[in-house]
Amino acid sequence: MVHTDSNEFKQKLSQVYNDVSKELFGFGTSLLKTSVHPEGIALYARHRRSPRSTALEGEVPALKYEVDFYMSMIYKKKLKSRLEDELGLQIEVLLRDYDPATQWAVTNIILKGSSKSPLLITK
C-alpha cells in the first residue's frame, strides 16, 4: 500500500499531470501544486499560453473559448485514465475548472471510498 501523502506520490502525480499537458499542448505547466487530503486530491496548475490560442483569441474569440472547453474535457478524460492506469487510483470523479483568461486550472479528484477512510492506494 502506498500513502497518497508521500512526496514520491505527489511527484508521480505531478509527472502524470504534466505528461498529459505535454501530450495535448506540447508543453507542461508553468506552476503545479498538489494538495492531498483524506477527502481527495487537488491540483492547482498554471498553464502556458499556446501561440495558436493567442492567435485564435485575437481573431475568433468564441472559437477559442469553445476549443478551450473541449480541450479541458479531453484533458480530464486522459488524466483520469492515466492516473488510474499508472498510479492505481480508483477515481470516483475528476472535476476540472479552467480559466482561459488567467490560464489557471484547478483539478479536484475524489477517490472511491474516500469518505470512509484515509486515501490509500494499492497497486
Side-chain angles (χ1 to χ4, degrees):
M1 289 199 157
V2 177
H3 289 274
T4 58
D5 61 352
S6 75
N7 283 333
E8 181 183 350
F9 173 76
K10 288 180 181 179
Q11 288 175 347
K12 288 180 182 177
L13 188 62
S14 295
Q15 182 177 356
V16 171
Y17 190 96
N18 266 312
D19 286 349
V20 172
S21 185
K22 288 174 188 175
E23 181 183 330
L24 291 176
F25 306 114
F27 39 78
T29 60
S30 61
L31 176 69
L32 179 59
K33 294 185 179 191
T34 60
S35 180
V36 179
H37 308 279
E39 303 82 27
I41 300 166
L43 298 117
Y44 307 93
R46 184 121 195 221
H47 290 264
R48 296 186 175 130
R49 186 176 298 273
S50 109
R52 284 174 275 199
S53 183
T54 303
L56 269 178
E57 189 172 45
E59 295 294 321
V60 191
L63 179 58
K64 189 246 188 225
Y65 284 107
E66 189 173 346
V67 169
D68 285 342
F69 172 80
Y70 284 108
M71 290 304 291
S72 190
M73 299 303 289
I74 294 167
Y75 200 103
K76 285 172 49 173
K77 183 179 177 182
K78 285 187 174 291
L79 182 61
K80 181 179 180 194
S81 175
R82 296 273 304 269
L83 290 173
E84 288 177 336
D85 292 347
E86 295 178 29
L87 299 182
L89 294 177
Q90 295 179 348
I91 297 173
E92 185 164 333
V93 66
L94 188 147
L95 305 165
R96 183 172 192 263
D97 192 16
Y98 172 70
D99 180 57
T102 63
Q103 302 292 304
W104 276 100
V106 177
T107 304
N108 289 297
I109 300 167
I110 299 172
L111 301 178
K112 292 179 183 173
S114 64
S115 63
K116 298 175 187 162
S117 63
L119 300 180
L120 298 173
I121 312 168
T122 57
K123 191 163 184 192

